[in-house]
Amino acid sequence: MSYVLGMDVGGTNVVAGLFDSHGTLVRKIKTPTEKRRGADGLLLQLAGFATELLDAEGVARERLGAIGLGLPGFIDPIAGLVDAANLPLSRTPVSDRLGELTGVPVTVQNDVKMIVYGESLRGAGQNLPHVLGVTLGTGMASAWVSQGRLHDGAGNLAGELGHITFPDIPYVCGCGMKGCIETVASATGIARQARDAIAEGWEGPLSARVSADRLGELTSKDVSEACRAGDSMAIEIYRRTANWLSQALVPVIAVLCPDVIVVGGG
Ligand SMILES: [Zn+2]
């Protein structure tokens, strides 16, 4: 039996999983990302996880075949370069450096692309040839896997559905455009819509829970809980967000014709 290691390296936590040759998860760890000691500190932490997981399972080091990393931001999977705003890895040749530390080949790819690729292999898209995946988290992103192949696109930027714009979305996006769907169909977007509604005078169970000077602390989780409790404005925020999201996905369905759309994220 040989093994591979997959790591999701986020701005807050690293989740590392050891998988057997059938793709079955045998052990997983989750720990805060080491960001205080630059690229060297983080790469040493990741190499340490490989040792920790192998030792915990009693697996000899030479049975580890490869490591795959999913990272946020702009990734060049061929050069193994990472440019991630929330990680101390700017233009670091992560594949080469971690490969030297661990002695096995290391592949890097954008985290959302890896999530969707994983869903196509062993998740909600298993046994389906055409899988479109969308993640709604701090922002919105997507990826497309067709017949086992992840589509990178020019500049590795395929799947940036979050920057589809609509004229009735009033917010300016971090990308510089106005009306990107990511500004509403995301955790930050849901919270932003609720804050604006309260600031504009909407009163209901959610506004009663959050004082005006604490509006900035309102999260999408608060809105979600209010929605479940029947709060009419929270329901309206989710309804219109779902509407924008479906408006974005319908033309994508027309172009790509996926077997399934997998939606995930915090
Ligand atoms: Zn944008």
Side-chain angles (χ1 to χ4, degrees):
M1 181 78 81
S2 62
Y3 293 82
V4 293
L5 187 62
M7 297 193 213
D8 179 23
V9 186
T12 308
N13 290 303
V14 179
V15 184
L18 185 68
F19 295 80
D20 67 19
S21 54
H22 304 295
T24 302
L25 178 67
V26 291
R27 184 174 285 265
K28 161 172 116 165
I29 49 176
K30 177 180 178 179
T31 189
T33 308
E34 170 58 66
K35 296 198 287 190
R36 293 161 303 171
R37 294 183 289 126
D40 288 343
L42 178 52
L43 291 169
L44 281 171
Q45 182 190 39
L46 300 181
F49 290 151
T51 305
E52 187 179 335
L53 283 163
L54 292 170
D55 288 353
E57 284 297 311
V59 173
R61 200 173 184 87
E62 50 273 19
R63 288 166 71 194
L64 181 66
I67 296 174
L69 298 187
L71 304 117
F74 299 105
I75 315 295
D76 181 340
I78 305 298
L81 282 168
V82 171
D83 203 355
N86 294 326
L87 294 170
L89 293 173
S90 184
R91 304 306 293 165
T92 303
V94 169
S95 292
D96 289 348
R97 297 273 304 278
L98 190 58
E100 286 163 14
L101 289 170
T102 58
V104 294
V106 176
T107 300
V108 296
Q109 185 50 280
N110 172 267
D111 52 359
V112 172
K113 287 190 168 75
M114 284 293 86
I115 288 168
V116 178
Y117 190 64
E119 290 291 344
S120 79
L121 285 180
R122 293 299 301 261
Q126 192 172 1
N127 301 322
L128 295 170
H130 307 293
V131 179
L132 177 67
V134 180
T135 61
L136 308 173
T138 308
M140 174 184 163
S142 71
W144 169 237
V145 177
S146 179
Q147 293 178 317
R149 187 173 167 274
L150 182 68
H151 184 70
D152 279 327
N156 305 304
L157 289 171
E160 291 290 344
L161 298 191
H163 303 288
I164 290 175
T165 60
F166 291 100
D168 56 343
I169 295 177
Y171 303 110
V172 174
C173 180
C175 76
M177 293 195 293
K178 179 171 166 282
C180 289
I181 188 170
E182 170 173 291
T183 65
V184 290
S186 59
T188 33
I190 293 284
R192 168 190 286 139
Q193 291 180 73
R195 281 196 297 270
D196 280 4
I198 293 170
E200 284 163 16
W202 163 62
E203 288 180 2
L206 184 58
S207 62
R209 266 172 41 186
V210 186
S211 60
D213 57 333
R214 281 192 55 244
L215 259 190
E217 296 167 26
L218 188 85
T219 68
S220 60
K221 187 161 179 273
D222 296 320
V223 188
S224 170
E225 285 169 2
C227 187
R228 282 177 211 281
D231 186 313
S232 61
M233 179 49 94
I235 292 169
E236 176 54 25
I237 288 170
Y238 271 91
R239 183 171 288 140
R240 72 187 183 204
T241 303
N243 216 2
W244 277 315
L245 187 56
S246 57
Q247 282 183 61
L249 291 176
V250 164
V252 178
I253 293 168
V255 173
L256 297 176
C257 207
D259 289 302
V260 63
I261 299 176
V262 184
V263 181

